[in-house]
Amino acid sequence: MVPAHLRLMRLPWTCISSMTSIPLPISPSARPSLCVEMSSLLRKEMQRMLFRPEGQKLQKFIEIHEATPGRHFLCVYVTKTKEVQLCVVRSQKSLYSGSNKLHNSQKSQNSGSKKKLKSQFCLSSCLEDSYLRTEVWLLQDLTLLDGRDPDVDDPCFLMHFSTVRSVTAFSCGAKYCMARALVALSDKHCGRPLTLVNYDLAYISPSSVYLNRGDCVVLMQICFYAANLVCLSLCPVPLD
C-alpha cells in the first residue's frame, strides 16, 4: 500500500491544461529589454506591411490613446521624395487571404468534436495584424508643437496644423521621444527649426557646448571648474 500522502492526485485534463496556460512571471530586470525587443519587432512589421510597399521609411512611432477600438500609433516617416509625413495608424486583427479556403476544407470533413477544435485552432492561427492610416499630415505644415505643461508629468501634447490635433501618448517619455524626432527631422528635411512651447528643452536637445564642440571641450570646462574650486578652497578666509 502506498501511503496516502504519497498518492498522486488524478487531476482532470482541463485542470492540467489551465495550469500550463498560466503565464510565468517576468523579472523587473528583464522587462525593459523585453519592451525594447517588442517595439523593434513592431517597427519591423509596420515597415514591412505599411511603409515599404510605398517606398517609405518609418523613422519613429509611439503608441497613443484613441477613442476608437484597436491599437493606435503616431508615426513619422520619410517618403520617396524626401518629404516627412506624420500619420495615425490603427492596428486591428484580420484574416489571412487563405483562411477561407482552410475554413471550407475543415467544414467538408467530419463534424466530430476534434475536427471542430482543430478548425477553431486553425482559424485563430490565421489572424494577423493589419495596419491602416487614418490621418496624414506634412511635417512642413506643423507650425507649433505644444507640450501643454512642462512642470507636470503629462503625456498629452498638441500638434498645430491648419487645425489643432490633440495626442495622448502612453507616457511622458514617449511624448518627448517623438518631439526629439520631429525636431531632428525638421532641421534635416524641412530646413527650419520646429517651434516648441511648454517643453523642457533640456530633454529635447543638449546645450550648444555639448552638441557642437565635442567631448574635449567639455572635459576642459570640467577641469576649469575643478581648478576654480581648488583655488577658492586655498584662499585664506579673513578673520574678524
Side-chain angles (χ1 to χ4, degrees), residues 42-84:
L42 182 58
R43 176 173 180 167
K44 290 179 181 179
E45 186 179 13
M46 282 198 292
Q47 174 66 30
R48 176 179 61 85
M49 299 181 63
L50 185 63
F51 297 102
R52 185 181 299 166
E54 299 186 16
Q56 301 165 346
K57 185 175 181 181
L58 178 62
Q59 299 292 325
K60 184 68 67 176
F61 77 96
I62 59 172
E63 189 166 1
I64 60 176
H65 293 282
E66 291 287 290
T68 54
R71 298 180 68 185
H72 294 79
F73 306 93
L74 177 64
C75 303
V76 55
Y77 57 96
V78 179
T79 65
K80 289 181 179 179
T81 58
K82 301 302 179 182
E83 281 186 332
V84 183

Side-chain angles (χ1 to χ4, degrees), residues 16-168:
I16 296 175
S17 61
S18 63
M19 289 171 61
T20 56
S21 63
I22 298 174
L24 295 176
I26 301 175
S27 63
S29 60
R31 287 172 187 168
S33 60
L34 181 61
C35 292
V36 171
E37 183 178 356
M38 292 178 64
S39 177
S40 177
L41 292 174
L42 182 58
R43 176 173 180 167
K44 290 179 181 179
E45 186 179 13
M46 282 198 292
Q47 174 66 30
R48 176 179 61 85
M49 299 181 63
L50 185 63
F51 297 102
R52 185 181 299 166
E54 299 186 16
Q56 301 165 346
K57 185 175 181 181
L58 178 62
Q59 299 292 325
K60 184 68 67 176
F61 77 96
I62 59 172
E63 189 166 1
I64 60 176
H65 293 282
E66 291 287 290
T68 54
R71 298 180 68 185
H72 294 79
F73 306 93
L74 177 64
C75 303
V76 55
Y77 57 96
V78 179
T79 65
K80 289 181 179 179
T81 58
K82 301 302 179 182
E83 281 186 332
V84 183
Q85 297 182 356
L86 296 93
C87 69
V88 173
V89 174
R90 185 179 69 215
S91 171
Q92 58 187 8
K93 294 292 184 181
S94 62
L95 292 173
Y96 285 122
S97 58
S99 61
N100 290 332
K101 296 179 180 179
L102 180 63
H103 182 50
N104 292 332
S105 64
Q106 291 293 334
K107 277 188 173 180
S108 63
Q109 297 179 2
N110 297 329
S111 59
S113 59
K114 291 184 179 180
K115 299 294 183 180
K116 290 182 180 180
L117 290 174
K118 186 176 180 181
S119 175
Q120 292 176 1
F121 173 76
C122 292
L123 284 174
S124 63
S125 64
C126 290
L127 290 175
E128 70 170 353
D129 289 320
S130 62
Y131 301 96
L132 176 67
R133 290 184 178 96
T134 58
E135 297 174 82
V136 180
W137 307 274
L138 290 173
L139 179 59
Q140 64 184 8
D141 295 335
L142 181 61
T143 59
L144 180 68
L145 192 64
D146 185 359
R148 301 212 310 180
D149 191 349
D151 299 325
V152 177
D153 191 10
D154 182 14
C156 182
F157 59 97
L158 305 175
M159 300 189 299
H160 290 252
F161 298 99
S162 56
T163 59
V164 179
R165 177 61 157 88
S166 176
V167 179
T168 303

Side-chain angles (χ1 to χ4, degrees), residues 178-197:
M178 178 56 69
R180 285 192 294 269
L182 294 177
V183 166
L185 290 170
S186 181
D187 290 338
K188 181 178 180 180
H189 293 276
C190 301
R192 63 175 178 86
L194 180 63
T195 305
L196 301 177
V197 295

